[in-house]
Amino acid sequence: MEWQPDEQGLQQVLQLLKDSQSPDTATQRAVQEKLEQLNQYPDFNNYLIFVLTSLKSEDEPTRSLSGLILKNNVKAHYQNFPPAVADFIKRECLNNIGDPSPLIRATIGILITTIASKGELQTWPELLPQLCNLLNSEDYNTCEGSFGALQKICEDSSELLDSDALNRPLNIMIPKFLQFFKHCSPKIRSHAIACVNQFIIGRAQALMDNIDTFIESLFALAGDEDCEVRKNVCRALVMLLEVRIDRLIPHMHSIIQYMLQRTQDADENVALEACEFWLTLAEQPICKEALSGHLVQLIPILVNGMKYSEIDIILLKGDVEEDDNVPDSEQDIKPRFHKSRTVTLQHEGGEGEEGEDIDEDEDDDDDTLSDWNLRKCSAAALDVLANVFRDELLPHLLPLLKGLLFHPDWVIKESGILVLGAIAEGCMQGMVPYLPELIPHLIQCLCDKKALVRSIACWTLSRYAHWVVSQPPDAHLKPLMTELLKRILDGNKRVQEAACSAFATLEEEACTELVPYLSFILDTLVFAFGKYQHKNLLILYDAIGTLADSVGHHLNQPEYIQKLMPPLIQKWNELKDEDKDLFPLLECLSSVATALQSGFLPYCEPVYQRCVTLVQKTLAQAMMYSQQPDQYEAPDKDFMIVALDLLSGLAEGLGGHVDQLVARSNIMTLLFQCMQDTMPEVRQSSFALLGDLTKACFPHVKPCIAEFMPILGTNLNPEFISVCNNATWAIGEICMQMGVEMQPYVSLVLPHLVEIINRPNTPKTLLENTAITIGRLGYVCPQEVAPMLQQFIRPWCTSLRNIRDNEEKDSAFRGICVMIGVNPGGVVQDFIFFCDAVASWVNPKDDLRDMFYKILHGFKDQVGEENWQQFSEQFPPILKERLSACYGV
């Protein structure tokens, strides 16, 4: 007997569907409760499918809504549907996939793929064969509905379709889809390409077997009049470029010609897909050779795509100049991610290098349109091509640029400024001769009457900050800084944001060059505190933190502290412990505390207490959640991570002054728990804090060492690079405090450290910290470490040769010298590496220089003059000179 609805039940369901379309919140709440009740009845879902597929008397939106509620039920508890209900739903779906209404067909398609992705592809064996069969239907609606469903299944289950689990259905499906590339309906052609496109990136075998047919069929559709078809053709070619460039190379010339046309397509979605082609091509080794002859056409097209479209300008309120009194709506504020502390060393010729895993957010010049669009894609393509072709791009660009930058129409002028910013990285060399003229023009654009011109000028100038700082300060730095500071106080929020970000970049480049202007800078930043709405305040914190990082202890002047601290502390007091705005404020205070050092003392007590409280609260909440996950929410551990990092900043800035604070708190107990947290970022920040507390107030750390060392040993796992790096650094700091008492712990950590320093592809920062810690461990326990010397001496020497002279390097080299004294044989085979590492010192302390001298001369005396001559013949000339000049060997 086929299931039939009960009239009364049907009316209830229809009433529910009507109510759920009401905007009133109270009604909505009642609907939710009613839904929960009805879900207790096993055949409620039968009513829903009945309304969707059979109740043709109802309006389409209501029928579709019924299907969407059913889809949510399938998602939530399909496994509890009685078999009869599940079968009824599946049958109804397949029987009605050809409904005359496109909305109903699409809803049924969504329902089918939802059931399929609940593991049902295996247990619904007739689904794919039936859908593929229905493609042959004479009835357009049936064919289109089936294709729509298949496209959704291909999107949701592409990997499963290409596996043995289902007996490889793609061997039938892909050739079938390819036949439909020639169908008379554009909608069907578009579905067919979209289905096949799902399998390019995964290199499905069935597609690779038909790759030539696929490519020929795409070429045949090149001139299609339908924009969806053109878009899918472009998307396919872009993916093939990544996956099967070998098949495209023979046709590359005509593909490029086609993409040049499509990048100018009247339909922006087609143009955007085509523009991706240039971004992808730029990453291929053949890019230069393939594109050289086409730059003359391509560059003007990309530049033209970089103008704001009319719709962009409306969305960006391009005509609204003053909006800084309008509060921000909360959904405009993107979530921020805190970057946990990683301990790095200073290198030759540069301030401390950034860790290697940092991602660059470059073209974020117009964030609020965070949807990817043609303007952003064109700018990104020009940026990557500038990095490929370098100055060879300029002959095609410079003639255009002049016309753009001085154009009377602000939209065109604005795009010219964006072009100039996009090529800054790749074409810097070739641009240098024009900069003395261009930078003043850009600084003038900071005063343009159009907000969108002012904001892009901020961004582009920040891309040339490095050059600006390399010139005499009065030439460009001073005028740029003066104007940027005015823009920080602009009446337009987008300009404020761009200026603040640009100023932070300028601070990083200028560092101590800014010291003479500190008073002026602080006045502006503090004034902005009172002026900014929510979103920009968060960027302002970053600009202040970066300023503190850049000028360091120069900030520690009573007049500066008086300006800066009161507004920061006022914000600190206003924010509740649960407020995410604490993150950027804590990060900012961490930089400020490190820079001010003793100048931060008057503020440290409440800041310290609150950080400890944040850690404690988070740990307590995590504990409750793990015991009763249904009763409690999981905590946001970022609160704890940011608090640990600020405590590190305090320990580093205040040094010994932190002693009293630590003594009066339970931070060591909390740290013991944090070091064992499941989340790597929490452990990473814990070990950074442990190292900083070890340096600042070791007597409080020492009683815990026996409990802490095994945990540190377990975390020497290079799978979590930053955790491993910070644990390694902390162990080195503990060595320096423990001295000979480190002996019982050597075996817990040394084998891991030796393994890490010998691993291929270990990031530089981790190698350096590992080498320092091995050296320090050897310094305090030479008898235990020296026997392993031969296993690490070569990578040890190569990883430390580029580090600047500093305390860490000093202690590590003392360790190596002491170990060589204990086990001279361990260094014999790699002695040239040791010589090279010694030569990397610019001016070692006298007693360390003596140690080097003794080892070098001892080795020379040991092997005799003649052998030494032969040995030193292998030295590069510069090494020879340094050793003979400094050590007389």
Side-chain angles (χ1 to χ4, degrees):
M1 245 319 268
E2 194 64 357
W3 178 88
Q4 284 300 321
D6 162 69
E7 194 47 44
Q8 202 186 348
L10 188 58
Q11 288 316 313
Q12 263 194 331
V13 172
L14 287 172
Q15 189 54 50
L16 178 78
L17 292 168
K18 291 277 180 287
D19 290 345
S20 67
Q21 293 172 59
S22 145
D24 174 53
T25 30
T27 316
Q28 283 298 335
R29 214 167 297 131
V31 167
Q32 279 312 317
E33 282 172 21
K34 185 79 178 151
L35 266 179
E36 310 247 307
Q37 286 170 7
L38 290 173
N39 265 319
Q40 304 307 309
Y41 298 99
D43 67 350
F44 172 49
N45 292 304
N46 286 9
Y47 283 91
L48 292 173
I49 189 79
F50 179 81
V51 174
L52 172 66
T53 57
S54 309
L55 202 59
K56 308 265 158 82
S57 54
E58 275 303 322
D59 60 283
E60 286 177 14
T62 302
R63 289 172 59 200
S64 170
L65 183 65
S66 183
L68 294 175
I69 291 177
L70 176 54
K71 177 208 73 165
N72 290 336
N73 282 349
V74 167
K75 251 193 163 134
H77 20 243
Y78 184 73
Q79 62 288 351
N80 304 334
F81 284 20
V85 173
D87 288 341
F88 181 63
I89 294 172
K90 289 176 181 176
R91 222 174 23 255
E92 286 295 295
C93 282
L94 284 173
N95 290 342
N96 293 280
I97 192 75
D99 193 282
S101 148
L103 176 65
I104 302 298
R105 290 201 297 273
T107 309
I108 294 175
I110 291 173
L111 187 53
I112 288 177
T113 187
T114 309
I115 295 173
S117 57
K118 289 302 268 184
E120 282 291 304
L121 271 177
Q122 283 99 320
T123 50
W124 192 358
E126 67 275 21
L127 173 63
L128 294 171
Q130 275 201 296
L131 287 175
C132 285
N133 251 341
L134 292 170
L135 296 180
N136 302 330
S137 164
E138 294 294 302
D139 172 47
Y140 168 80
N141 292 338
T142 305
C143 177
E144 197 278 326
S146 308
F147 240 133
L150 278 166
Q151 182 180 334
K152 294 182 182 91
I153 293 171
C154 292
E155 285 168 13
D156 293 340
S157 311
S158 60
E159 283 183 13
L160 185 59
L161 291 171
D162 188 33
S163 69
D164 285 327
L166 296 178
N167 207 354
R168 305 249 165 219
L170 290 186
N171 294 338
I172 297 160
M173 289 162 69
I174 286 196
K176 178 107 186 159
F177 295 153
L178 289 170
Q179 291 168 4
F180 283 86
F181 278 36
K182 300 188 181 65
H183 196 275
C184 59
S185 149
K187 186 97 204 254
I188 303 281
R189 293 198 296 276
S190 181
H191 276 314
I193 310 170
C195 283
V196 180
N197 282 359
Q198 297 306 319
F199 302 102
I200 300 177
I201 295 295
R203 301 170 196 259
Q205 193 50 51
L207 177 54
M208 294 302 131
D209 295 342
N210 289 283
I211 196 80
D212 291 329
T213 319
F214 176 43
I215 292 174
E216 280 160 31
S217 313
L218 286 173
F219 288 167
L221 292 174
D224 204 285
E225 74 289 349
D226 181 80
C227 54
E228 270 304 302
V229 172
R230 293 200 303 272
K231 187 177 91 178
N232 282 327
V233 168
C234 290
R235 183 173 288 175
L237 289 169
V238 170
M239 291 191 283
L240 286 167
L241 197 55
E242 277 185 56
V243 173
R244 288 307 302 263
I245 194 166
D246 56 313
R247 282 290 185 260
L248 297 186
I249 286 176
H251 317 281
M252 197 49 90
H253 180 80
S254 38
I255 293 175
I256 287 174
Q257 287 303 325
Y258 175 67
M259 286 298 189
L260 285 167
Q261 272 180 319
R262 287 289 72 84
T263 309
Q264 306 171 78
D265 199 293
D267 182 293
E268 182 172 333
N269 293 320
V270 178
L272 176 57
E273 284 297 337
C275 194
E276 295 278 356
F277 181 82
W278 314 114
L279 261 181
T280 306
L281 184 58
E283 289 166 5
Q284 305 297 328
I286 65 149
C287 174
K288 214 164 175 177
E289 179 193 346
L291 268 186
S292 283
H294 302 279
L295 289 178
V296 69
Q297 293 163 282
L298 173 60
I299 298 302
I301 294 173
L302 290 177
V303 167
N304 192 40
M306 287 163 76
K307 293 199 296 281
Y308 275 125
S309 64
E310 284 168 33
I311 186 86
D312 289 342
I313 295 170
I314 295 165
L315 288 174
L316 288 170
K317 305 188 174 58
D319 298 325
V320 178
E321 291 304 316
E322 300 269 333
D323 64 354
D324 66 338
N325 296 324
V326 184
D328 295 326
S329 73
E330 287 309 305
Q331 65 266 33
D332 285 347
I333 298 174
K334 284 206 220 136
R336 287 182 79 269
F337 299 102
H338 170 68
K339 197 162 178 346
S340 313
R341 240 174 136 88
T342 308
V343 186
T344 53
L345 298 166
Q346 303 252 296
H347 289 70
E348 280 305 334
E351 294 303 312
E353 289 195 12
E354 294 293 327
E356 282 106 291
D357 49 359
I358 290 175
D359 43 29
E360 298 284 330
D361 285 341
E362 282 304 351
D363 289 86
D364 47 5
D365 53 294
D366 39 352
D367 273 355
T368 13
L369 281 186
S370 54
D371 335 340
W372 191 233
N373 55 22
L374 184 61
R375 165 188 166 91
K376 288 191 161 181
C377 191
S378 306
L382 188 61
D383 184 350
V384 289
L385 290 171
N387 277 299
V388 172
F389 286 94
R390 301 280 165 190
D391 297 344
E392 292 170 39
L393 217 55
L394 292 177
H396 305 287
L397 258 175
L398 290 172
L400 295 171
L401 257 177
K402 199 133 192 137
L404 298 172
L405 287 170
F406 297 92
H407 201 283
D409 178 351
W410 74 266
V411 177
I412 296 177
K413 175 172 161 181
E414 193 277 347
S415 72
I417 301 173
L418 173 59
V419 168
L420 201 53
I423 60 169
E425 198 188 335
C427 304
M428 183 58 93
Q429 265 352 86
M431 286 307 294
V432 165
Y434 306 98
L435 291 179
E437 201 182 332
L438 278 174
I439 297 293
H441 176 63
L442 286 171
I443 292 176
Q444 240 180 320
C445 293
L446 287 174
C447 311
D448 196 275
K449 57 181 198 302
K450 278 291 179 197
L452 289 170
V453 174
R454 300 197 297 277
S455 62
I456 199 66
C458 290
W459 178 74
T460 293
L461 280 160
S462 75
R463 302 267 288 174
Y464 290 96
H466 187 75
W467 180 83
V468 167
V469 172
S470 71
Q471 304 299 299
D474 285 350
H476 305 290
L477 177 61
K478 215 166 156 186
L480 170 58
M481 194 175 57
T482 313
E483 283 310 313
L484 261 185
L485 288 170
K486 287 184 197 159
R487 290 295 67 82
I488 285 180
L489 303 178
D490 199 276
N492 180 281
K493 291 195 285 195
R494 159 179 297 276
V495 179
Q496 294 171 358
E497 177 183 359
C500 245
S501 301
F503 195 71
T505 306
L506 184 64
E507 290 169 339
E508 285 174 351
E509 291 291 348
C511 291
T512 48
E513 297 274 343
L514 297 179
V515 173
Y517 317 108
L518 265 173
S519 181
F520 180 39
I521 294 172
L522 286 169
D523 285 340
T524 305
L525 297 179
V526 168
F527 190 78
F529 255 111
K531 185 177 171 70
Y532 277 13
Q533 299 291 345
H534 186 177
K535 181 181 174 191
N536 286 350
L537 258 184
L538 306 184
I539 298 165
L540 181 63
Y541 292 142
D542 182 54
I544 292 173
T546 308
L547 179 67
D549 294 339
S550 302
V551 300
H553 65 90
H554 296 284
L555 197 57
N556 189 7
Q557 299 290 335
E559 94 167 280
Y560 301 153
I561 296 176
Q562 223 13 71
K563 287 178 195 234
L564 180 60
M565 288 309 295
L568 282 175
I569 293 296
Q570 186 194 339
K571 288 286 176 204
W572 170 263
N573 291 331
E574 283 169 17
L575 292 177
K576 300 203 168 46
D577 280 352
E578 298 66 55
D579 194 327
K580 293 221 167 135
D581 285 8
L582 274 175
F583 299 169
L585 179 55
L586 284 157
E587 285 174 32
C588 167
L589 279 171
S590 181
S591 296
V592 170
T594 309
L596 290 185
Q597 296 176 344
S598 59
F600 198 78
L601 272 174
Y603 309 96
C604 65
E605 174 99 31
V607 173
Y608 179 90
Q609 286 310 337
R610 184 168 195 179
C611 288
V612 172
T613 308
L614 284 170
V615 174
Q616 202 154 5
K617 278 189 175 175
T618 314
L619 285 172
Q621 201 185 335
M623 188 72 149
M624 297 194 302
Y625 172 71
S626 68
Q627 287 165 359
Q628 297 171 293
D630 43 347
Q631 308 259 315
Y632 294 100
E633 273 187 34
D636 180 344
K637 290 192 178 170
D638 274 357
F639 284 103
M640 173 156 75
I641 296 167
V642 182
L644 289 167
D645 286 348
L646 176 45
L647 288 169
S648 280
L650 287 176
E652 192 183 334
L654 299 174
H657 296 296
V658 85
D659 187 281
Q660 291 302 299
L661 297 169
V662 174
R664 293 199 297 271
S665 69
N666 60 341
I667 186 67
M668 298 316 293
T669 319
L670 298 174
L671 200 49
F672 182 60
Q673 288 172 270
C674 293
M675 286 164 46
Q676 299 175 79
D677 197 89
T678 48
M679 190 176 177
E681 290 80 2
V682 175
R683 301 200 301 276
Q684 174 183 338
S685 294
S686 315
F687 296 136
L689 176 55
L690 177 61
D692 283 316
L693 289 176
T694 299
K695 287 172 82 163
C697 55
F698 189 64
H700 295 296
V701 179
K702 194 168 180 184
C704 313
I705 290 298
E707 287 188 289
F708 284 6
M709 284 313 297
I711 301 172
L712 284 162
T714 332
N715 278 280
L716 296 177
N717 168 8
E719 228 177 293
F720 300 106
I721 293 208
S722 302
V723 180
C724 184
N725 180 67
N726 290 3
T728 303
W729 173 74
I731 293 167
E733 290 300 337
I734 292 169
C735 287
M736 298 315 287
Q737 301 289 342
M738 290 281 282
V740 68
E741 293 178 65
M742 250 333 251
Q743 268 172 342
Y745 309 111
V746 174
S747 58
L748 280 176
V749 297
L750 185 61
H752 297 296
L753 295 169
V754 173
E755 187 185 335
I756 291 166
I757 203 168
N758 283 294
R759 262 175 96 243
N761 305 330
T762 302
K764 207 163 67 209
T765 305
L766 179 54
L767 275 182
E768 292 160 359
N769 274 316
T770 306
I772 296 278
T773 295
I774 291 176
R776 290 178 151 190
L777 202 54
Y779 181 58
V780 295
C781 302
Q783 298 299 336
E784 286 70 19
V785 185
M788 309 269 286
L789 200 51
Q790 199 178 338
Q791 292 179 41
F792 60 74
I793 185 72
R794 180 185 282 201
W796 191 95
C797 292
T798 47
S799 60
L800 289 186
R801 62 189 302 271
N802 297 324
I803 301 293
R804 264 201 259 176
D805 295 7
N806 63 20
E807 281 307 307
E808 295 175 316
K809 184 170 175 176
D810 179 274
S811 55
F813 270 84
R814 286 170 192 276
I816 275 293
C817 293
V818 177
M819 289 190 277
I820 291 174
V822 174
N823 176 16
V827 74
V828 171
Q829 289 182 334
D830 299 304
F831 199 69
I832 186 166
F833 291 93
F834 176 73
C835 296
D836 176 59
V838 166
S840 77
W841 277 89
V842 184
N843 40 8
K845 293 182 183 158
D846 291 343
D847 57 337
L848 181 60
R849 185 190 294 272
D850 287 344
M851 292 167 103
F852 292 159
Y853 184 92
K854 287 196 179 110
I855 291 173
L856 292 170
H857 280 272
F859 187 84
K860 185 178 170 179
D861 299 344
Q862 193 72 39
V863 297
E865 186 65 43
E866 195 179 329
N867 287 336
W868 176 262
Q869 282 311 321
Q870 277 181 333
F871 175 66
S872 58
E873 280 309 302
Q874 312 163 31
F875 291 2
I878 189 153
L879 174 58
K880 234 180 176 155
E881 281 163 37
R882 283 191 94 156
L883 288 179
S884 90
C886 303
Y887 301 100
V889 291

